[in-house]
Amino acid sequence: MTKRYLPLFSLLSIFAISSVIPQYALAAGANLECKMHFKTTSWSAIYKHVEGGGLVTCTDGSSMHVKITARGVGLTAGKFHIDNGVGTFTDVHHIDDVLGSYAQGEANAGLGKSGSAQVLTKGAVSLALAGSGHGVDLGVSVGKFTISRVK
């Protein structure tokens, strides 16, 4: 009678082991380091509008050109551009994980040469942005920062 249940026990054991392996593989894959070098221009008058582009590169050798757009509302006014921005992503499994919309909250004040830094989130993926540029920018806004693949 025990021989009769042996195939069933073996099948259940294989299923249990195989369901655990992908979880470990996903956790190990989250160590992919990706950076984005970008340029943006923005203007705001209550409504904030940002456009630009960049290049995302990862430690596995993958890379892709991206388009950056951001829209937001708040008490803002000004015109600003970032020439040498750098973004660092965390919790990335594959380069495509960087694509999508990130929640954004921002407070800034700049006149002439100035810098910008912020941290954005999209689920488990986070993006820390830093850059310097020129312009006039004053205000507080909330919105959406979107990264899409250049077609």
Side-chain angles (χ1 to χ4, degrees):
M1 192 166 211
T2 57
K3 289 182 181 181
R4 189 169 146 192
Y5 294 108
L6 188 59
L8 179 62
F9 178 74
S10 299
L11 184 62
L12 288 175
S13 298
I14 291 170
F15 177 74
I17 291 170
S18 66
S19 68
V20 172
I21 290 172
Q23 292 174 357
Y24 287 113
L26 285 176
N31 292 331
L32 184 61
E33 294 178 24
C34 297
K35 289 196 178 286
M36 176 174 65
H37 294 274
F38 65 94
K39 293 181 179 184
T40 60
T41 59
S42 67
W43 60 264
S44 64
I46 298 177
Y47 176 78
K48 186 164 189 166
H49 176 85
V50 177
E51 286 189 352
L55 177 65
V56 175
T57 57
C58 299
T59 54
D60 67 352
S62 59
S63 66
M64 84 172 118
H65 289 278
V66 295
K67 177 181 175 185
I68 298 168
T69 57
R71 308 282 189 269
V73 295
L75 300 172
T76 65
K79 189 172 182 178
F80 190 78
H81 65 90
I82 295 176
D83 294 322
N84 55 349
V86 176
T88 304
F89 297 91
T90 59
D91 290 330
V92 175
H93 296 86
H94 186 270
I95 192 167
D96 289 336
D97 292 347
V98 306
L99 301 173
S101 296
Y102 294 76
Q104 180 182 35
E106 186 176 19
N108 44 22
L111 176 62
K113 280 189 173 186
S114 60
S116 173
Q118 56 184 307
V119 176
L120 313 173
T121 60
K122 176 189 71 122
V125 178
S126 294
L127 169 60
L129 295 174
S132 61
H134 293 79
V136 176
D137 199 17
L138 178 64
V140 176
S141 65
V142 293
K144 180 169 67 167
F145 184 94
T146 303
I147 300 173
S148 56
R149 185 183 306 268
V150 172
K151 296 177 183 176

